[in-house]
Amino acid sequence: MLKYEDFFLLDEKLSSEYKVLRESVRKFVDNEVIPIISEYWENGKFPRRLISKIAELGLVGSYMPVEYGGGGFDKLAYGIITRELERGDSGIRSFVSVQTSLVMYPILTFGSENQRKKYLPKLASCEVIGCFGLTEPDAGSDPSSMKTRAYRKGNKWILRGTKMWITNANISDIAIIWAKDDDNIIRGFIVERDMGYKTKEMKGKISLRASDTGEVILDDVEVPEENRLPFAEGLKAPLMCLNQARFGIAWGAVGIAQFCLETALKYSKERIMFSNPIASYQLTQQKLADILTYTQNANLIAYRIAELEKEGKLSHYHISYAKRYNVRAAKVVSEMARSILGANGIMLDYHIMRHMTNLEAVETYEGTYEIHTLILGEFLTGMESFRK
Ligand code: TGC
Ligand code: FAD
């Protein structure tokens, strides 16, 4: 029988290994994330107590090679993990995205063998927590305008600057820092906390409240040459990291949409108004049909980018398309689901509005909706329009 949850029968494409993975992450989210997350979100705290379980389940570094402590899975598995985690909360998915795609990936891709051996296993087990510092107070959408500098001093580098809006900053042991050298070339560094970077919590967020966000302050921090990522040169390197994280966000947004669909459908069948379930009214059915359509479209896109990745045909344009569409789809879905729940829709107990507000940050980070629009505009026209 056709089920709304698997409308396009994508389950048929999944081997049992992926289904087991999905069920294990879903169980973790249902049993250990959803029951506690509203309280952490309300208090503006990241639930650190979940880290050990996240590591134990192998949710960090899933697509990193086994020899470096990773899961040895492909990107489809990573997508399934991020989708199921974001069904719980974007902040939990963010933690895994950053640790895997923005910290482990650059070390794997641009690091030396010594760096890989030293850091990757400890990052996979979450013995070491990392963050990724690209954005600055005056360099958000345009990271090429960063002011953070790396001055060469013998076999050391002096890092000076401030990174802002950095996920996991305050709980980090290491930071991947992007800075311009004396020749204005962007370089990447693995900076350890005891080398001297400072962090400051950014308070007052009304979105992504269960995620740690902070500033990273580099006040002439000395970093040895052995901590520079030797194969990272230019903006292309951090942008390659963003591709990995954006892939996970495109999948994660589907998790939110699926959660909203389940919740709104159930609620509408149970809620009686004017003597009938609200699900029986045409206006509600229109919302439900739209929610189903946005959710399934986003899911199809997510599966397709995983297939293209496996075939070696995935371009960063596909990733921009997927991040842009899927996050916007999840936003529309969460707004419609919230309205179906009436007053209950604004309550933390029902989780929809938490997702809805989280999506504001998700649509901003990793390239805003507008930036991905311009990337697609450039793809279509061949004309770059970021700068005048
Ligand atoms: P542009 O001249 O276009 O590109 C510089 C070089 O990079 C190449 N390139 C890419 N390579 C790989 N992947 C991509 N996505 C790439 N996009 C461009 C390009 O071909 C060029 O190569 P080469 O060989 O010619 O040097 O650079 P631009 O300065 O014009 O900027 C382009 C723009 C605006 C698209 C880019 O800077 C951008 O994506 N801006 C958005 C910034 C952003 O997304 N920041 C995210 C910070 S991290 C974060 O938000 C983490 S949130 C926490 C979580 O994930 O949960
Ligand atoms: P701006 O770049 O100032 O943009 C403001 C507005 O102008 C946006 O609507 C934008 O789309 C629009 N705009 C900008 N340029 C153009 C243009 N050319 N044409 C049309 N419109 C334009 N960064 C990290 O490096 N690491 C992290 O871990 C990280 N985590 C984050 C966590 C959270 C909760 C948040 C909110 C952000 C995080 N970021 C992180 C930063 C994030 O990537 C940036 O916020 C994002 O890239 C946008 O930059 P900005 O906020 O400075 O906005």
Side-chain angles (χ1 to χ4, degrees), residues 90-91 93-98 102 132-135 139-145 165-167 208 211 233-243 245-246 249 316-317 319-320 361-362 364-368 371-372 375 378 384 386-387:
S90 302
R93 193 269 308 140
S94 252
F95 172 80
V96 169
S97 287
V98 170
L102 299 181
F132 176 90
L134 181 66
T135 305
S141 297
D142 179 14
S144 72
S145 66
W165 296 109
I166 307 305
T167 302
L208 222 74
S211 175
E233 189 179 311
L235 185 60
K236 198 179 175 77
L239 291 179
M240 283 169 64
C241 305
L242 300 186
N243 289 340
R246 289 168 179 172
I249 292 172
H316 71 272
Y317 294 117
I319 297 176
S320 282
V362 176
T364 291
Y365 66 34
E366 290 284 0
T368 63
I371 288 300
H372 291 296
I375 290 171
E378 184 253 322
E384 198 248 58
F386 302 109
R387 296 177 180 86

Side-chain angles (χ1 to χ4, degrees), residues 162-165 169-170 198-200 202 213-217:
T162 301
K163 299 290 177 180
M164 202 173 175
W165 296 109
N170 306 291
K198 303 270 185 300
T199 55
K200 191 168 152 204
M202 294 179 68
T213 315
E215 285 178 44
V216 176
I217 301 136

Side-chain angles (χ1 to χ4, degrees), residues 105-297:
Y105 172 85
I107 295 174
L108 179 76
T109 310
F110 309 115
S112 65
E113 192 51 27
N114 279 349
Q115 290 170 342
R116 292 170 172 187
K117 284 191 184 135
K118 179 171 178 193
Y119 295 106
L120 292 179
K122 286 184 178 166
L123 285 160
S125 64
C126 291
E127 206 179 314
V128 167
I129 305 294
C131 67
F132 176 90
L134 181 66
T135 305
E136 300 180 357
D138 298 318
S141 297
D142 179 14
S144 72
S145 66
M146 68 173 65
K147 294 195 179 108
T148 301
R149 307 300 307 201
Y151 301 104
R152 185 93 200 223
K153 192 178 149 196
N155 64 349
K156 289 190 176 142
W157 295 82
I158 308 294
L159 266 55
R160 190 182 301 160
T162 301
K163 299 290 177 180
M164 202 173 175
W165 296 109
I166 307 305
T167 302
N168 297 349
N170 306 291
I171 59 169
S172 67
D173 306 296
I174 63 169
I176 302 293
I177 295 294
W178 301 96
K180 282 185 184 167
D181 70 11
D182 294 328
D183 299 318
N184 273 334
I185 296 172
I186 294 175
R187 305 274 178 196
F189 298 86
I190 308 168
V191 188
E192 295 183 6
R193 168 82 65 175
D194 61 15
M195 289 174 187
Y197 73 82
K198 303 270 185 300
T199 55
K200 191 168 152 204
E201 190 180 346
M202 294 179 68
K203 295 190 174 172
K205 285 179 294 166
I206 309 173
S207 173
L208 222 74
R209 288 182 57 75
S211 175
D212 174 60
T213 315
E215 285 178 44
V216 176
I217 301 136
L218 299 133
D219 195 2
D220 287 353
V221 173
E222 265 193 22
V223 180
E225 163 65 8
E226 69 197 42
N227 278 49
R228 180 174 68 83
L229 293 169
F231 304 110
E233 189 179 311
L235 185 60
K236 198 179 175 77
L239 291 179
M240 283 169 64
C241 305
L242 300 186
N243 289 340
Q244 318 308 313
R246 289 168 179 172
F247 178 102
I249 292 172
W251 273 85
V254 179
I256 297 183
Q258 288 177 333
F259 179 88
C260 291
L261 171 56
E262 282 162 36
T263 307
L265 185 60
K266 180 168 183 291
Y267 188 91
S268 68
K269 287 179 177 171
E270 290 168 359
R271 177 71 176 166
I272 308 294
M273 204 46 58
F274 297 103
S275 313
N276 290 296
I278 58 169
S280 68
Y281 299 125
Q282 290 179 357
L283 288 176
T284 309
Q285 290 188 7
Q286 179 173 31
K287 286 178 196 167
L288 291 169
D290 283 343
I291 289 176
L292 175 71
T293 306
Y294 280 112
T295 304
Q296 298 305 333
N297 286 353

